[in-house]
Amino acid sequence: MIVRTPKQRDTLIEAGRRLGVVLDELARAAVPGCSTEALDDLAEQLIRAEGDEPSFLGYTPEGSARPYPATVCVSINDAVVHGIPNESPRLLTEGDLVSLDLGLTHDGIIVDSAITVPVGKTDKTGYALMSATAAALEAAMAVAQPGARVGDISYATEKAFERTGFSVVKMLGGHGVGAHVHEEPFIANAGKPGTGEILVPGMVLALEPIANEGKATVVIANDGYTFRTKDGKRSAHFEHTILVETGGPLVVTRRPSEK
Ligand code: MG
Ligand code: MG
């Protein structure tokens, strides 16, 4: 969406604030022995308690055969994105890397954000993968200035993983958001600078670097949603919804724990 009024801007900011609070709560709940289904129930409960709606529940992405059945995507270790928490629920185990990806609709405006957290403590490579992916998100957001192009964001994302030893998943990426869960433009996690749509003030974008510990190749599971790494190694994913503004991007989904 393009934000055109102060009221829309305020609603977007409030939506993002609420989503950040819920994601922090989910991250705190992701402890050894917690089930993925319990995380999903908690997410739905926290969102509805504030009078908002889960944006992913019942949403059918383009090319999918059925609606997404849950509130939050929970993708553990070799699951890259779109893991379903409530169909074959599993218990979190010490050392797991868990991506929590959540969409919330507040007053008609949709925001989208994801974090990857360790369950208990993980190993050095796991921490490095998470911090490289979080750093790539910051690098991507920094170039989302009016006048820049979508390809500039893609290029900044790809470049952030150089010399990290990790593989960016180029076929997945960010998107416009706000009025719908997925809007144009698609923002690939790799690309050429100076190409693609020009960013204008008021654009609402979800940027989401995804990177693998091993090879970049991902495969989709039989459930039609879960992407997994082909080599079985782990993956990390971070996402924020931003508002493109003249003074620089406003990150609307910053979590209280990040501030
Ligand atoms: Mg998301
Ligand atoms: Mg997204």
Side-chain angles (χ1 to χ4, degrees):
M1 77 178 284
I2 304 278
V3 166
R4 300 187 191 279
T5 67
K7 165 107 180 12
Q8 285 177 325
R9 185 177 185 275
D10 289 347
T11 304
L12 175 71
I13 290 169
E14 178 59 15
R17 188 193 68 76
R18 290 174 178 221
L19 183 52
V21 169
V22 176
L23 262 185
D24 265 353
E25 285 273 348
L26 294 182
R28 274 194 289 274
V31 296
C34 175
S35 84
T36 54
E37 188 168 34
L39 287 175
D40 190 59
D41 289 344
L42 177 63
E44 182 171 0
Q45 197 185 336
L46 290 169
I47 289 172
R48 294 200 193 277
E50 298 298 318
D52 299 324
E53 296 284 328
S55 315
F56 298 167
L57 182 64
Y59 168 72
T60 307
E62 211 182 297
S64 290
R66 61 174 180 136
Y68 189 73
T71 292
V72 59
C73 302
V74 181
S75 308
I76 304 171
N77 295 332
D78 65 315
V80 178
V81 287
H82 305 162
I84 299 174
N86 55 353
E87 288 189 343
S88 309
R90 54 169 280 190
L91 301 182
L92 304 183
T93 303
E94 179 83 20
D96 282 345
L97 298 193
V98 182
S99 151
L100 303 163
D101 185 355
L102 189 61
L104 170 158
T105 310
H106 169 65
D107 236 345
I109 290 190
I110 298 169
V111 286
D112 184 5
S113 183
I115 43 171
T116 302
V117 294
V119 176
K121 287 196 171 70
T122 192
D123 57 76
K124 216 175 141 188
T125 308
Y127 286 114
L129 176 62
M130 288 186 286
S131 67
T133 311
L137 174 57
E138 295 299 324
M141 293 193 297
V143 301
Q145 307 282 345
R149 287 173 177 263
V150 166
D152 298 335
I153 298 175
S154 301
Y155 178 71
T157 307
E158 179 179 18
K159 206 169 151 46
F161 289 101
E162 275 180 7
R163 289 180 294 275
T164 61
F166 302 126
S167 309
V168 64
V169 181
K170 299 181 182 186
M171 63 167 292
L172 299 171
H175 50 91
V177 69
H180 307 278
V181 174
H182 290 116
E183 299 174 26
E184 293 295 317
F186 173 68
I187 307 165
N189 279 330
K192 287 197 175 72
T195 63
E197 194 172 332
I198 296 175
L199 307 190
V200 298
M203 263 185 178
V204 183
L205 303 174
L207 306 186
E208 46 185 315
I210 297 154
N212 298 346
E213 185 181 7
K215 299 242 164 65
T217 313
V218 296
V219 290
I220 193 153
N222 290 335
D223 65 17
Y225 274 100
T226 313
F227 282 89
R228 292 189 180 279
T229 60
K230 198 176 176 204
D231 62 13
K233 293 190 175 178
R234 295 170 296 181
S235 188
H237 174 210
F238 283 82
E239 176 178 28
H240 271 309
T241 295
I242 64 167
L243 171 62
V244 176
E245 293 197 299
T246 309
L250 179 68
V251 182
V252 302
T253 48
R254 282 266 187 236
R255 301 176 301 281
S257 66
E258 270 190 299
K259 286 170 186 161

